[in-house]
């Protein structure tokens, strides 16, 4: 019998997210220097930094490159940031190798992606999740499709569900945002 995604959330120790289409809407403007301008959701940011403070590994694997986004993610406490990843499975394998000594296995990882480059990584993760506006091929293989769209709180949705289920959602008095 296959477990539903809520049962699988008990085993999650790490979150890995795509950026464009997950942490952002996937729509961006081009700045005067030719670099894309991306908008990140502060509620997603809050959930990511809380998960990191609570001891979860939070990482991103993205085909895009943006130093501003990378700097923002580092301020949230993320240390595993794979940008410019033309083959996400290579970055996924690198990520797994970093935490192999700590006993982190694919079944302990929730990966959220929205498009074809995320396909194989989603199949490799313990839980493959997608925002509501992911492409059909990704929604089809996802164990969980958030009711929230990319850039509109889908990251907060999966982190909040996981932390609440593991009795880890609320901040302790000594944490600050």
């Amino acid at each position: 019998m296959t477990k539903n995604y809520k049962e699988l959330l008990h085993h999650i120790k790490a979150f890995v997210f795509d950026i464009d289409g997950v942490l952002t809407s996937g729509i961006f403007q081009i700045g005067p220097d030719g670099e894309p301008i991306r908008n990140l959701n502060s509620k997603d940011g809050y959930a990511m930094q809380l998960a990191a403070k609570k001891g979860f590994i939070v990482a991103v694997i993205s085909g895009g490159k943006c130093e501003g986004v990378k700097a923002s993610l580092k301020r949230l406490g993320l240390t595993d940031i794979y940008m410019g990843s033309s083959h996400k499975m290579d970055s996924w394998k690198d990520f797994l190798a970093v935490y192999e000594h700590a006993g982190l296995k694919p079944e302990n990882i929730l990966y959220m992606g929205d498009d074809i480059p995320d396909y194989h990584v989603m199949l490799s993760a313990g839980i493959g999740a997608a925002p509501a506006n992911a492409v059909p091929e990704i929604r089809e293989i996802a164990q969980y499709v958030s009711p929230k769209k990319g850039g509109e709180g889908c990251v907060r949705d999966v982190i909040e569900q996981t932390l609440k289920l593991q009795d880890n959602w609320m901040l302790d008095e000594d944490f600050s945002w």
Side-chain angles (χ1 to χ4, degrees), residues 26 58 69 103 120 160:
V58 184
V69 170
H120 293 290
E160 185 174 337

Side-chain angles (χ1 to χ4, degrees), residues 61 82 85 87-100 106 109 120-121 124:
I61 299 175
Y82 300 85
S85 180
H87 293 77
K88 290 188 176 186
M89 277 302 288
D90 292 340
S91 297
W92 174 253
K93 289 174 186 173
D94 289 346
F95 171 74
L96 291 173
V98 168
Y99 291 98
E100 182 178 37
I109 305 168
H120 293 290
V121 177
S124 298

Side-chain angles (χ1 to χ4, degrees), residues 22-144:
V22 174
L23 285 168
T24 75
S25 68
I27 299 170
F28 45 79
Q29 297 176 315
I30 304 299
D33 59 356
E35 290 296 313
I37 299 170
R38 293 168 169 91
N39 293 316
L40 300 175
N41 185 306
S42 65
K43 288 180 177 58
D44 288 343
Y46 176 80
M48 288 190 298
Q49 66 83 34
L50 178 61
K53 285 179 179 176
K54 293 286 189 164
F56 289 81
I57 300 162
V58 184
V60 296
I61 299 175
S62 177
K65 289 183 182 178
C66 181
E67 288 305 313
V69 170
K70 187 174 184 176
S72 293
L73 294 172
K74 283 183 175 185
R75 281 192 299 274
L76 294 174
L78 278 69
T79 56
D80 302 286
I81 302 170
Y82 300 85
M83 298 189 85
S85 180
S86 56
H87 293 77
K88 290 188 176 186
M89 277 302 288
D90 292 340
S91 297
W92 174 253
K93 289 174 186 173
D94 289 346
F95 171 74
L96 291 173
V98 168
Y99 291 98
E100 182 178 37
H101 72 281
L104 185 69
K105 297 177 180 152
E107 57 264 24
N108 304 124
I109 305 168
L110 181 148
Y111 181 89
M112 181 176 261
D114 72 308
D115 209 344
I116 301 302
D118 302 303
Y119 190 92
H120 293 290
V121 177
M122 283 182 64
L123 290 175
S124 298
I127 298 178
N133 59 337
V135 298
E137 295 88 348
I138 294 300
R139 288 193 318 266
E140 192 173 289
I141 64 166
Q143 285 136 309
Y144 177 70

